[in-house]
Amino acid sequence: MNIGKTGQILLADIGGTNARFALSQSELGQGGQSGPIDYVKVADFPTVREAIADVLARRAGGEQPRRAVLAVAGPVTNNRCVMTNSPWVIDGNELQAALGLDSVHVLNDFEVVAWSLPALQPADLIPLGGGDGLSGEPLLVVGPGTGFGVSCLVQRHGARLAVVTEAGHATLPAENEREERVIACLRRRLGHVSIERGALSGSGLQNLYEALAEVDGAQVPHRDAAGITKAALEGSCPLSRATLEMFCAILGSVAGNLAVTFGARGGVYVAGGIVPRFPEFLMASAFRPRFEAKGRLQDYLRNIPTRLVIKRDASFVGLKMFADHTVD
């Protein structure tokens, strides 16, 4: 393929079921906006290369992008990701050669969300307490969804780096006796009780609900994460409400732990697919008090702002930020 001279950049957010593509409309560093987002079903294409070729044939207007930045829902090693829930293998070096591009960067999806944070506007966020944050200090994003994602954007001497973590697999902490009993119940079922499996994910919310039912000796119907959330918000199931309250409290504790771990005095952002569904519930919950409840470090935490990310396509903001910041 011939590379166009427009400076277009292919941006993609690739999941196990769907992939989304867009073309940046500017030269590197010019701050232009991305074009419309193209939605593709992963099952419709044997490989990511064929999906990209199809999108470019329909959207590039006869000119090919010079570069590509791809976000993937999975671990990235050496610019390559073997997708967990699809047959696609995203190999940046192979795609670069096959598509005739100057460069292809493959990033973890939460790394990309971290890149978006400096560019998010007030309309993209719901404040959850705290001060204004310190300019130039680390920005942390945490996200309960299918799993529990954590990434931290660090800026030093004009350079930015998004630190990718597996913090969701750290051990789930207990802050009180009731949580200790719940975690003990989970430990009997799961062995190691991680943050992700024990509470802060879709499956974690369901595990939390079932453990609370056992601790309380309650007879309740089987519910998945969506059902638990719905029943909690409707007020139709006291145990579902107690589960969601504990979920928010644990999220506050874990976010506070990670804030002091990374020194995230620029701010802590909550993203992912679960929490944006109930912002009012989160604001009225123990999330923020538990975030600050760190003994001698309480004043340190009190000044750190927490914000809920509600922008639907924040990943494309992050992809564009990374592309504009990176010189190949």
Side-chain angles (χ1 to χ4, degrees):
M1 292 185 179
N2 293 321
I3 299 169
K5 299 182 183 299
T6 62
Q8 285 187 332
I9 305 169
L10 176 70
L11 309 177
D13 185 1
I14 301 169
T17 303
N18 299 297
R20 301 180 298 160
F21 297 90
L23 288 168
S24 142
Q25 300 301 309
S26 72
E27 290 282 359
L28 176 65
Q30 296 302 306
Q33 299 298 309
S34 301
I37 296 172
D38 226 323
Y39 290 78
V40 169
K41 288 190 177 298
V42 170
D44 289 345
F45 297 91
T47 66
V48 66
R49 177 184 173 184
E50 289 167 279
I52 291 173
D54 179 75
V55 169
L56 294 181
R58 291 183 286 107
R59 292 280 305 281
E63 298 209 42
Q64 300 303 310
R66 294 173 54 191
R67 309 161 62 220
V69 184
L70 315 177
V72 295
V76 177
T77 304
N78 295 326
N79 210 32
R80 184 177 189 269
C81 176
V82 179
M83 300 293 288
T84 304
N85 298 313
S86 88
W88 284 7
V89 175
I90 319 297
D91 189 313
N93 297 333
E94 288 184 2
L95 288 171
Q96 179 179 339
L99 298 174
L101 303 178
D102 288 352
S103 67
V104 177
H105 291 277
V106 181
L107 309 179
N108 171 266
D109 55 352
F110 243 77
E111 179 180 3
V112 167
V113 177
W115 273 98
S116 78
L117 300 180
L120 295 180
Q121 302 301 309
D124 303 328
L125 305 165
I126 295 177
L128 300 172
D132 295 327
L134 298 178
S135 177
E137 291 298 306
L139 303 173
L140 177 72
V141 60
V142 301
T146 304
F148 183 70
V150 177
S151 186
C152 186
L153 189 70
V154 180
Q155 181 172 316
R156 290 291 183 270
H157 309 298
R160 286 176 177 158
L161 171 69
V163 181
V164 185
T165 82
E166 292 294 341
H169 299 288
T171 303
L172 178 65
E175 294 282 330
N176 53 51
E177 185 177 338
R178 182 163 170 77
E179 289 177 5
E180 288 173 357
R181 293 174 65 196
V182 167
I183 291 173
C185 175
L186 290 168
R187 193 178 297 117
R188 289 192 294 271
R189 296 182 179 194
L190 303 174
H192 176 247
V193 183
S194 69
I195 293 168
E196 179 175 294
R197 290 189 74 195
L200 300 185
S201 66
S203 61
L205 185 62
Q206 185 174 334
N207 287 333
L208 200 60
Y209 171 80
E210 292 171 356
L212 266 172
E214 182 175 329
V215 166
D216 290 351
Q219 298 296 318
V220 290
H222 171 79
R223 288 188 171 98
D224 61 10
I228 295 164
T229 302
K230 183 174 184 291
L233 298 178
E234 290 175 348
S236 60
C237 172
L239 187 78
S240 292
R241 187 171 185 86
T243 301
L244 200 60
E245 287 172 349
M246 184 173 285
F247 174 96
C248 292
I250 290 172
L251 178 59
S253 289
V254 169
N257 288 345
L258 291 166
V260 295
T261 299
F262 284 98
R265 294 186 293 172
V268 174
Y269 296 75
V270 181
I274 295 178
V275 184
R277 300 177 186 180
F278 47 87
E280 294 84 4
F281 189 98
L282 180 68
M283 286 187 283
S285 75
F287 168 80
R288 183 70 201 193
R290 289 278 292 265
F291 177 84
E292 295 181 7
K294 295 289 180 280
R296 291 177 294 170
L297 267 290
Q298 186 163 340
D299 288 343
Y300 182 96
L301 272 298
R302 187 179 291 123
N303 291 322
I304 295 176
T306 46
R307 303 180 177 105
L308 177 62
V309 179
I310 56 173
K311 184 173 179 61
R312 183 177 180 183
D313 293 316
S315 58
F316 281 89
V317 176
L319 288 163
K320 187 64 170 60
M321 287 286 288
F322 177 87
D324 286 349
H325 190 75
T326 305
V327 178
D328 295 306

